Amino acid sequence: MKDAKKKKNCSLCADKVEYIDFKDASKLRRYLTEAGKIIPRRITGNCAKHQRMIVKAIKQAREAAILSYTFD
């Protein structure tokens, strides 16, 4: 029998999130690695809609210098 992978549920859908604020750096850091890369949705378990919102917010926060592009 193959390894049955448990389907991760989108935590943002469960909380009925409709907008992700790019100014909320602490929430966005949950979706970044230690190196500053965006964690893919197959690992976070987000749905496609919310993953796109997260990526857009992270990029907006980087542009506004709220988040840095890399962490040293």
Side-chain angles (χ1 to χ4, degrees):
M1 194 154 89
K2 284 188 172 182
D3 292 322
K5 292 189 176 148
K6 184 175 175 279
K7 175 101 170 73
K8 295 178 183 164
N9 294 324
C10 179
S11 60
L12 299 170
C13 283
D15 296 339
K16 294 183 171 56
V17 173
E18 293 188 24
Y19 174 73
I20 298 170
D21 190 18
F22 74 94
K23 291 173 270 186
D24 191 0
S26 60
K27 191 174 284 185
L28 293 176
R29 275 185 217 272
R30 289 185 8 198
Y31 300 103
L32 295 171
T33 63
E34 293 81 37
K37 292 183 172 184
I38 300 170
I39 301 173
R41 67 179 272 237
R42 63 185 161 79
I43 296 172
T44 60
N46 292 328
C47 64
K49 174 185 164 187
H50 284 114
Q51 184 68 18
R52 282 192 303 271
M53 289 169 73
I54 288 168
V55 168
K56 189 174 177 182
I58 288 172
K59 289 180 179 180
Q60 217 174 350
R62 285 175 174 168
E63 194 69 26
I66 297 168
L67 291 174
S68 63
Y69 286 91
T70 58
F71 298 117
D72 293 327

